[in-house]
């Protein structure tokens, strides 16, 4: 367990100590021009609220809304809306005798947390020693060289594969193409949305100072591993993992054999999509490397066309993640979109025209559904789209966002509908991210504001009361289901990681608090989360949950905050 921030508790001369679950706010705070709404569950008989500054002086008074019931959390809540209060400072909300956690209003309020999430990818590097000057107390020796991984029979090959590098997927040490594909799709699209994001030297990684932005450097670490995963025929192997999950330990001690498993259509299309993106993003920095990305992308596309229903399922006895993707339409659409954007070739354009109906299927993306990525990515390249596609993209994005804002307006927590399943934090963040593309396309600020309210959910305005980025907030996630965090003996979890979040299926639960599984105090869908090392179904990090949160926060920091300085030389330090 990590110490809670006493300093933040002592911010005010408190009439009553802040209580965990009563006032749900963004625990980091708000940009001056952003919406600012706190959720007040189960405090009857109060109809007003105040915003107190750090001297305890009232700076704002407002009236709470009427109670609204949320069936997913089982709560009646009121809302405190102080969006028109924009003075920079440190504050708490007061309702009756109850005080919220402290928060700030300032113009770079989510910058550090977004840099921390960016840095978490460096902390997940496989085949890599993390040195103290970049990793601080989280330094560790190299784990998993992956220079001679065993070809599993499902690969149709024998012998060994040289495939070092890449990021560990999650709490385990597996490297999976499908979850990494959607992850990099989100990250590279962020770079296209905000080219100045995470400039060189902003994240303090070994490549910092090489002239390339730190996000391009970090993504390239993963892309270099991707290239090793392509077979001679263009198809792409799905993963490198051991047969079963290793115990919770430092990577260098993992004794299990690392295997390469079979190829799949989904893995090949995720590969084709991200390699096509990489080909255009890295072109000016490294033309040869970028040209190779494009060749590989087109070869993977051709393989997928010729093998369009190869579904990977775990062979008997293999217990690591399967990421079995059964519906391939969205992967084909996304890969065609990226290939068309990069090459302008008629064949990819024709594919998009022939499948234009699918462009209406707007949704936040996850490893099993990347349709939304095709749409958001194309929305940034409207000038090269044929008129009929341009019209669909704009309307598809806008209609979807308008409907979701309608839902938000009547929802107790002011959040859009999202998939409350394993990895729900990724799904809601991805939904928020799509609002940003709608803002980019329409210029209408209501979409930007909606995205900011979704970010508030991640940072504390949710029914669990947790801030869902480790190392941040007043009520922190400290028992992440993450091997290194558990093994290192350091209080709390490594910073900058996003747990899966509420998951009503609770696949890891037992009925008893003292059983083997995770004990969920509440089984209400929006509260089905437990900050326990045992909870792989609600409290495990994954690169594909972090990426939409990263993109959402970094993009909002750009739109609401001050611009990233061109020559940013402040080296980010991990929180202690
Ligand atoms: O995020 C994945 C989730 O959608 C699946 O329901 C779940 C069970 O198959 O697996 C999740 O992904 C895990 C992966 O299989 C292995 N590494 C850890 C991932 C996060 O829990």
């Amino acid at each position: 367990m990590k110490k809670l921030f006493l300093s933040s508790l002592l911010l005010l001369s408190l009439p009553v100590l802040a209580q965990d679950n009563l006032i749900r706010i963004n625990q980091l705070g708000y940009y001056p021009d952003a919406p600012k709404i706190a959720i007040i569950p189960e405090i009857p008989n109060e109809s007003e609220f105040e915003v107190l500054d750090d001297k305890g002086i009232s700076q704002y008074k407002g009236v709470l809304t009427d109670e609204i019931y949320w069936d997913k959390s089982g709560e009646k809540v009121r809302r405190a809306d102080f969006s028109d209060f924009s003075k920079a400072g440190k504050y708490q909300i007061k309702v009756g005798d109850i005080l919220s956690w402290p928060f700030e209003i300032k113009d770079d309020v989510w910058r550090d947390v977004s840099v921390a999430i960016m840095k978490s990818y460096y902390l997940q590097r496989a085949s890599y020693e993390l040195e103290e000057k970049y990793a601080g107390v989280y330094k560790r020796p190299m784990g998993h060289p992956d220079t001679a991984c065993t070809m599993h029979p499902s690969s149709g090959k024998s012998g060994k594969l040289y495939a070092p590098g890449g990021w560990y997927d999650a709490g385990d040490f597996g490297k999976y193409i499908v979850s990494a594909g959607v992850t990099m799709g989100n990250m590279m699209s962020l770079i296209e949305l905000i080219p100045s994001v995470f400039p060189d030297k902003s994240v303090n990684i070994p490549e910092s100072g090489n002239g390339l932005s730190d996000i391009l450097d970090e993504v390239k670490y993963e892309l270099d591993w991707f290239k090793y995963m392509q077979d001679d025929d263009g198809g792409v192997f799905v993963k490198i993992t051991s047969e079963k999950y290793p115990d919770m330990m430092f990577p260098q001690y993992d004794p299990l054999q690392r295997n390469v498993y079979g190829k799949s259509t989904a893995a090949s299309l995720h590969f084709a999509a991200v390699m096509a993106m990489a080909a255009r993003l890295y072109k000016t920095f490294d033309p040869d490397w970028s040209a190779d990305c494009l060749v590989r992308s087109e070869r993977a596309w051709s393989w997928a066309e010729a093998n369009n229903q190869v579904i990977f399922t775990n062979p008997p006895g293999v217990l690591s993640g399967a990421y079995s993707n059964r519906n391939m339409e969205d992967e084909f659409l996304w890969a065609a979109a990226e290939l068309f954007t990069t090459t302008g070739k008629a064949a990819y354009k024709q594919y998009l025209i022939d499948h234009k109906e699918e462009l209406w299927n707007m949704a936040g993306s996850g490893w099993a559904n990347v349709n939304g990525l095709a749409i958001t990515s194309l929305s940034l390249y409207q000038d090269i789209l044929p008129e009929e596609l341009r019209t669909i993209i704009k309307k598809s994005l806008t209609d979807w966002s308008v409907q979701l804002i309608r839902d938000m307006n009547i929802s107790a927590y002011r959040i859009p509908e999202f998939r409350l399943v394993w990895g729900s934090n990724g799904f809601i963040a991805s939904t928020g991210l799509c609002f940003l593309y709608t803002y980019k396309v329409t210029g209408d600020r209501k979409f930007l504001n909606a995205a900011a309210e979704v970010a508030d959910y991640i940072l504390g305005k949710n029914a669990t009361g947790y801030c869902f980025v480790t190392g941040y907030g007043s009520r922190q996630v400290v028992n992440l289901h993450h091997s290194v965090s558990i093994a290192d003996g350091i209080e709390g979890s490594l910073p900058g990681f996003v747990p899966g979040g509420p998951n009503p299926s609770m696949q890891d639960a037992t009925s008893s608090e003292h059983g083997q599984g995770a004990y969920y105090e509440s089984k209400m869908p929006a509260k089905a989360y437990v900050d326990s090392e045992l909870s792989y179904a609600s409290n495990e990090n994954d690169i594909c949950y972090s990426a939409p949160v990263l993109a959402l926060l970094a993009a909002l920091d750009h739109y609401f905050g001050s611009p990233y300085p061109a020559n940013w030389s402040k080296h980010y330090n991990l929180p202690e």
Side-chain angles (χ1 to χ4, degrees):
M1 282 284 292
K2 184 162 184 155
K3 58 203 176 270
L4 275 184
F5 285 168
L6 260 192
S7 54
S8 56
L9 284 174
L10 297 174
L11 185 71
L12 300 179
S13 44
L14 304 176
V16 172
L17 270 188
Q19 297 187 26
D20 278 354
N21 282 309
L22 287 178
I23 300 181
R24 279 72 179 270
I25 50 159
N26 183 323
Q27 294 169 21
L28 303 189
Y30 305 88
Y31 293 88
D33 295 335
K36 301 172 198 74
I37 296 173
I39 306 295
I40 327 284
E42 309 296 343
I43 306 185
N45 309 324
E46 297 294 342
S47 56
E48 292 178 349
F49 72 97
E50 286 179 84
V51 179
L52 307 186
D53 68 14
D54 54 358
K55 299 194 177 59
I57 298 167
S58 178
Q59 295 287 342
Y60 186 95
K61 286 189 178 154
V63 176
L64 298 172
T65 60
D66 289 341
E67 277 185 339
I68 310 178
Y69 180 70
W70 194 23
D71 57 353
K72 294 212 167 63
S73 67
E75 298 162 320
K76 285 183 190 156
V77 311
R78 296 170 193 272
R79 296 198 292 250
D81 187 341
F82 53 108
S83 300
D84 56 350
F85 180 66
S86 58
K87 193 171 142 198
K90 296 183 176 175
Y91 303 100
Q92 285 177 291
I93 307 278
K94 183 168 178 288
V95 178
D97 283 342
I98 309 290
L99 278 171
S100 74
W101 297 117
F103 63 90
E104 285 185 84
I105 297 180
K106 66 173 183 178
D107 77 349
D108 62 353
V109 65
W110 302 342
R111 180 159 297 170
D112 277 4
V113 71
S114 60
V115 178
I117 302 173
M118 191 63 241
K119 184 90 177 224
S120 74
Y121 287 84
Y122 162 76
L123 296 175
Q124 286 291 90
R125 286 189 188 185
S127 325
Y128 204 82
E129 180 192 350
L130 305 188
E131 291 176 60
E132 189 169 1
K133 60 184 160 179
Y134 310 111
V137 292
Y138 304 110
K139 67 180 181 206
R140 61 169 169 79
M142 192 252 267
H144 304 103
D146 286 346
T147 47
C149 303
T150 305
M151 299 308 296
H152 184 268
S154 61
S155 69
K157 304 238 152 170
S158 57
K160 305 282 184 192
L161 186 73
Y162 179 89
W167 305 310
Y168 298 126
D169 181 47
D172 63 316
F173 300 132
K175 304 195 293 192
Y176 306 82
I177 292 289
V178 163
S179 86
V182 63
T183 298
M184 285 194 285
N186 275 311
M187 291 166 90
M188 287 195 274
S189 192
L190 168 67
I191 300 167
E192 298 199 297
L193 188 66
I194 320 278
S196 62
V197 76
F198 301 120
D200 194 20
K201 300 185 187 166
S202 59
V203 189
N204 185 24
I205 53 176
E207 297 80 3
S208 293
N210 69 356
L212 208 58
S213 75
D214 284 354
I215 185 169
L216 278 167
D217 280 325
E218 193 57 61
V219 171
K220 189 167 180 296
Y221 190 77
E222 183 77 351
L223 289 164
D224 280 330
W225 166 64
F226 255 45
K227 290 189 177 185
Y228 296 127
M229 295 297 280
Q230 186 168 38
D231 197 5
D232 303 335
D233 62 2
V236 176
F237 300 112
V238 296
K239 62 176 175 178
I240 293 180
T241 67
S242 42
E243 268 196 359
K244 61 183 181 84
Y245 292 117
D247 292 338
M248 293 299 184
M249 55 172 58
F250 271 108
Q252 68 272 22
Y253 300 133
D254 178 5
L256 301 177
Q257 176 181 299
R258 308 270 283 174
N259 301 324
V260 182
Y261 292 90
K263 291 174 276 200
S264 80
T265 312
S268 302
L269 290 169
H270 276 253
F271 180 99
V274 300
M275 282 293 158
M277 294 177 95
R280 58 180 188 262
L281 274 167
Y282 294 82
K283 195 170 177 176
T284 50
F285 310 111
D286 194 338
D288 292 345
W289 187 88
S290 135
D292 178 56
C293 290
L294 187 53
V295 171
R296 287 172 179 276
S297 170
E298 294 204 89
R299 293 184 61 234
W301 169 267
S302 302
W303 187 91
E305 274 195 315
N307 301 274
N308 61 10
Q309 273 307 316
V310 183
I311 295 165
F312 178 81
T313 51
N314 264 337
V318 178
L319 300 174
S320 54
Y323 289 114
S324 294
N325 215 321
R326 286 163 197 287
N327 177 353
M328 250 64 82
E329 283 178 356
D330 54 308
E331 277 81 11
F332 271 108
L333 192 74
W334 181 36
E338 302 303 351
L339 275 160
F340 171 62
T341 303
T342 301
T343 66
K345 282 187 185 169
Y348 304 120
K349 176 155 79 178
Q350 197 55 49
Y351 186 94
L352 293 174
I353 292 171
D354 292 346
H355 294 80
K356 61 177 184 246
E357 288 310 312
E358 292 164 30
L359 294 171
W360 291 108
N361 298 335
M362 186 52 207
S365 47
W367 64 263
N369 184 355
V370 290
N371 220 71
L373 275 181
I375 298 165
T376 50
S377 200
L378 287 174
S379 76
L380 300 179
Y381 287 94
Q382 292 189 59
D383 48 338
I384 61 163
L385 288 177
E387 179 63 33
E388 58 178 325
L389 297 186
R390 194 181 318 144
T391 310
I392 296 176
I393 298 277
K394 187 167 178 184
K395 194 154 166 38
S396 176
L397 261 179
T398 313
D399 287 358
W400 181 83
S401 297
V402 165
Q403 179 56 48
L404 286 183
I405 289 179
R406 243 180 249 144
D407 295 345
M408 283 175 79
N409 288 339
I410 53 169
S411 106
Y413 272 71
R414 284 194 56 83
I415 46 173
E417 282 290 311
F418 66 105
R419 298 191 62 212
L420 253 175
V421 295
W422 195 320
S424 64
N425 280 340
F427 288 112
I428 189 165
S430 174
T431 303
L433 192 52
C434 295
F435 284 138
L436 287 177
Y437 290 83
T438 316
Y439 168 64
K440 176 87 177 170
V441 165
T442 61
D444 186 336
R445 237 182 133 81
K446 71 169 175 280
F447 300 115
L448 189 60
N449 288 341
E453 287 199 62
V454 172
D456 292 339
Y457 171 96
I458 295 290
L459 299 176
K461 192 196 75 172
N462 62 66
T464 72
Y466 281 94
C467 174
F468 282 132
V469 183
T470 55
Y472 286 83
S474 295
R475 191 173 197 204
Q476 298 196 359
V477 172
V478 293
N479 296 308
L480 196 68
H481 179 89
H482 177 245
S483 292
V484 175
S485 293
I486 293 171
D488 67 5
I490 299 173
E491 262 188 307
S493 305
L494 266 67
F497 287 85
V498 177
N503 171 13
S505 297
M506 298 177 282
Q507 290 89 338
D508 48 18
T510 61
S511 52
S512 138
E513 192 172 356
H514 307 291
Q516 285 298 300
Y519 174 72
Y520 288 73
E521 227 165 75
S522 171
K523 299 193 171 33
M524 294 306 294
K527 292 183 161 194
Y529 167 77
V530 51
D531 179 22
S532 159
E533 290 169 358
L534 298 173
S535 183
Y536 53 85
S538 82
N539 204 34
E540 182 171 6
N541 58 296
D542 193 295
I543 53 173
C544 77
Y545 318 148
S546 294
V549 176
L550 172 81
L552 179 65
L553 295 177
L556 286 165
D557 182 56
H558 171 83
Y559 288 125
F560 280 109
S562 46
Y564 280 87
N567 53 351
W568 194 5
S569 58
K570 175 198 154 199
H571 270 196
Y572 169 78
N573 290 315
L574 293 166
E576 307 222 325

